[in-house]
């Protein structure tokens, strides 16, 4: 089953995005950040298949930093940004930092679902690290290896 991580500030449209995706049967989890990228609450242990990031305008350096940190953490997971009313120059900037796709319409849930499903078709679960547990255990499906604290099991 596809895992979608929905990222955004605490009091933004994240609940709306999550509810819209779940209506279509897409399993989601949520990651929130506070006033800056350094305030990310938690970075889950299981790699998502796709990351949906809600960025209300105006896009700031903090937003770009969050996108880069997400890319560093889960490099194989495509990122889709939801940013209603974002200008073409902002979208160009987002693409330049590695965003894979975006939705600019306000509550354009149908468009988001289509773009999300397109990204999910492109993602091979075997191309992604599967899990990094709190006990130091790492499961790498592509290499078919399991390690604990840096040693093969």
């Amino acid at each position: 089953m596809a895992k979608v991580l929905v990222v955004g500030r605490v009091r933004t449209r994240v609940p709306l995005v999550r509810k819209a995706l779940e209506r279509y049967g897409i399993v989601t989890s949520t990651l929130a950040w506070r006033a800056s990228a350094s305030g990310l609450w938690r970075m889950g242990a299981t790699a998502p298949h796709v990351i949906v990031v809600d960025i209300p305008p105006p896009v700031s350096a903090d937003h770009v930093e969050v996108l880069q940190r997400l890319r560093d953490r889960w490099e194989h997971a495509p990122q889709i940004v939801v940013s209603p009313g974002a200008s073409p120059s902002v979208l160009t900037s987002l693409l330049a930092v590695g965003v894979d796709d975006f939705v600019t319409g306000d509550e354009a849930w149908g468009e988001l679902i289509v773009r999300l499903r397109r990204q999910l078709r492109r993602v091979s679960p075997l191309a992604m690290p599967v899990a990094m547990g709190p006990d130091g255990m790492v499961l790498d499906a592509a290499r078919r290896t399991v390690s604990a604290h840096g040693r093969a099991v």
Side-chain angles (χ1 to χ4, degrees), residues 1 7 18 28 36 38 40 65-66 71 78 80 90 94 97 102 106 112-113 126 128-130 134 148 153:
M1 182 170 286
V7 181
R18 189 172 182 180
T28 65
S36 70
S38 61
L40 282 170
E65 185 179 346
V66 166
R71 176 69 66 216
I80 301 173
V90 166
L94 294 175
V97 297
F102 49 81
D106 192 23
L112 175 60
I113 297 301
L126 292 178
M128 301 170 55
V130 175
V153 176

Side-chain angles (χ1 to χ4, degrees), residues 1 5 22 24 28 30 37 61 89 98 114 116 125 134 139 146:
M1 182 170 286
L5 178 64
E22 289 175 350
Y24 287 89
T28 65
T30 305
S89 63
V114 168
L116 178 60
L139 171 64
V146 177

Side-chain angles (χ1 to χ4, degrees), residues 2-50:
K3 293 175 291 205
V4 176
L5 178 64
V6 180
V7 181
R9 293 189 186 227
V10 178
R11 291 190 175 105
T12 60
R13 299 162 6 104
V14 169
L16 292 174
V17 173
R18 189 172 182 180
K19 185 177 179 179
L21 295 176
E22 289 175 350
R23 264 194 316 231
Y24 287 89
I26 297 170
V27 176
T28 65
S29 59
T30 305
L31 174 67
W33 76 82
R34 295 178 193 216
S36 70
S38 61
L40 282 170
W41 282 6
R42 64 178 170 82
M43 294 287 246
T46 304
H49 292 102
V50 177

Side-chain angles (χ1 to χ4, degrees), residues 18-151:
R18 189 172 182 180
K19 185 177 179 179
L21 295 176
E22 289 175 350
R23 264 194 316 231
Y24 287 89
I26 297 170
V27 176
T28 65
S29 59
T30 305
L31 174 67
W33 76 82
R34 295 178 193 216
S36 70
S38 61
L40 282 170
W41 282 6
R42 64 178 170 82
M43 294 287 246
T46 304
H49 292 102
V50 177
I51 302 169
V52 176
V53 185
D54 180 43
I55 300 179
V59 175
S60 70
D62 281 341
H63 295 120
V64 172
E65 185 179 346
V66 166
L67 292 167
Q68 290 170 331
R69 287 186 64 193
L70 291 167
R71 176 69 66 216
D72 291 344
R73 175 69 171 94
W74 294 298
E75 64 182 321
H76 297 292
Q79 295 178 356
I80 301 173
V81 168
V82 178
S83 188
S87 69
S89 63
V90 166
L91 298 176
T92 301
S93 300
L94 294 175
L95 290 169
V97 297
V99 169
D100 298 281
D101 210 344
F102 49 81
V103 176
T104 58
D106 192 23
E107 297 188 24
W109 309 127
E111 181 182 355
L112 175 60
I113 297 301
V114 168
R115 291 177 183 275
L116 178 60
R117 286 184 175 156
R118 187 179 71 192
Q119 292 296 335
L120 286 170
R121 280 194 303 271
R122 294 178 178 171
V123 174
S124 167
L126 292 178
M128 301 170 55
V130 175
M132 291 188 286
D135 57 355
M137 185 161 288
V138 176
L139 171 64
D140 187 332
R143 293 187 182 122
R144 297 180 182 215
T145 61
V146 177
S147 61
H149 304 290
R151 291 190 216 157

